[in-house]
């Protein structure tokens, strides 16, 4: 094989000096919700597209929406901040106040009202949000919280299996829900 016509597996062609064509990704929007997740996604975007550090805050500012966009307008009247880390600190100071505590309270109060799948969706949203702030919560904590929020007739049957993680408990819960639905008919 001719080395001048070869292409590496990643799509880079040494002969042509071209990098692979990357898929078009939308820059993460920010509406004020979950600033830590937003920053992680921004950092991934910057890495994938090799964004110049001097442009990071510009990319972000163009993608603020709703209440976050209004805050940004006021914030920028004091002068545009070009340092990404300082900009993120200002975003966290404004939009991350008490989020950890709020999500813990919401998880503690969460109860299954509708279907198991609806409950699981809310539970996962809150538990992943909590883990962004504190990675030290273990499976026992989350399984206990998950079971505690299930309807009694579903919880009692699942608890007998002593699930060790939420994945196991959440796979048993719809089965019990379906069984109870059949029994009622």
């Amino acid at each position: 094989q001719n080395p001048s016509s070869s292409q590496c597996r990643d799509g880079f062609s040494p002969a042509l000096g071209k990098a692979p064509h990357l898929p078009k990704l939308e820059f993460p929007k920010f509406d004020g919700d979950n600033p830590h997740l937003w920053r992680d996604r921004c950092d991934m975007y910057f890495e994938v597209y090799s964004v110049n550090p001097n442009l990071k805050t510009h990319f972000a500012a163009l993608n603020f929406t709703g209440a976050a966009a209004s805050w940004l307008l006021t914030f920028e009247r004091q002068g545009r901040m070009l340092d990404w880390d300082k900009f993120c600190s200002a975003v966290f100071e404004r939009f991350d106040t008490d989020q950890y505590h709020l999500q813990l309270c919401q998880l503690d109060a969460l109860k299954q009202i509708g279907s198991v799948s609806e409950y699981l969706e809310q539970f996962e949203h809150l538990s992943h949000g909590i883990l962004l702030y504190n990675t030290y919560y273990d499976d026992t904590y989350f399984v206990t919280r998950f079971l505690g929020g299930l309807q009694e007739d579903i919880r009692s049957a699942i608890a007998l299996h002593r699930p060790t993680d939420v994945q196991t408990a959440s796979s048993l819960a719809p089965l019990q829900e379906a069984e109870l639905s059949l029994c009622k008919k």
Side-chain angles (χ1 to χ4, degrees), residues 151 153 178-185:
Q151 293 173 355
D153 51 354
E179 185 65 31
L180 289 171
S181 178
L182 285 174
C183 290
K184 288 178 184 176
K185 291 180 182 178

Side-chain angles (χ1 to χ4, degrees), residues 139-140 142-144 146-147 162-171:
D139 285 336
T140 302
F142 285 115
V143 169
T144 303
F146 181 77
L147 292 176
R162 294 179 173 238
T164 57
D165 55 42
V166 173
Q167 178 66 36
T168 303
S170 67
S171 64

Side-chain angles (χ1 to χ4, degrees), residues 109-129:
L110 185 63
K111 300 289 181 207
Q112 180 192 352
I113 296 169
S115 70
V116 168
S117 62
E118 292 168 340
Y119 171 70
L120 177 61
E121 184 179 332
Q122 293 171 323
F123 184 88
E124 285 184 331
H125 175 74
L126 291 170
S127 61
H128 292 301

Side-chain angles (χ1 to χ4, degrees), residues 39-173:
R39 183 185 179 158
D40 286 347
R41 288 184 177 167
C42 288
D43 287 338
M44 281 189 266
Y45 184 96
F46 296 148
E47 186 179 331
V48 167
Y49 286 108
S50 301
V51 173
N52 181 320
N54 295 330
L55 296 175
K56 290 179 178 182
T57 60
H58 294 287
F59 270 83
L62 290 169
N63 289 282
F64 273 46
T65 62
S70 298
W71 169 82
L72 184 62
L73 269 174
T74 306
F75 179 77
E76 286 186 333
R77 294 208 178 190
Q78 301 165 6
R80 177 155 291 167
M81 187 178 289
L82 298 178
D83 181 85
W84 176 242
D85 290 328
K86 288 180 183 173
F87 179 74
C88 288
S89 292
V91 169
F92 293 157
E93 187 177 313
R94 167 58 184 91
F95 295 99
D96 198 37
T97 307
D98 297 326
Q99 286 299 306
Y100 177 50
H101 178 71
L102 179 64
Q103 289 179 355
L104 280 171
C105 290
Q106 288 175 340
L107 186 66
D108 284 343
L110 185 63
K111 300 289 181 207
Q112 180 192 352
I113 296 169
S115 70
V116 168
S117 62
E118 292 168 340
Y119 171 70
L120 177 61
E121 184 179 332
Q122 293 171 323
F123 184 88
E124 285 184 331
H125 175 74
L126 291 170
S127 61
H128 292 301
I130 289 166
L131 287 169
L132 285 173
Y133 295 96
N134 186 345
T135 58
Y136 293 106
Y137 285 100
D138 64 1
D139 285 336
T140 302
Y141 171 78
F142 285 115
V143 169
T144 303
R145 287 302 320 126
F146 181 77
L147 292 176
L150 285 170
Q151 293 173 355
E152 177 58 37
D153 51 354
I154 296 175
R155 175 180 47 241
S156 57
I158 305 306
L160 290 173
H161 293 277
R162 294 179 173 238
T164 57
D165 55 42
V166 173
Q167 178 66 36
T168 303
S170 67
S171 64
L172 293 170

Side-chain angles (χ1 to χ4, degrees), residues 20-35:
H21 178 70
L22 297 172
K24 183 180 177 186
L25 298 174
E26 242 185 81
F27 191 86
K29 303 278 186 221
F30 183 65
D31 61 2
D33 187 41
N34 208 335

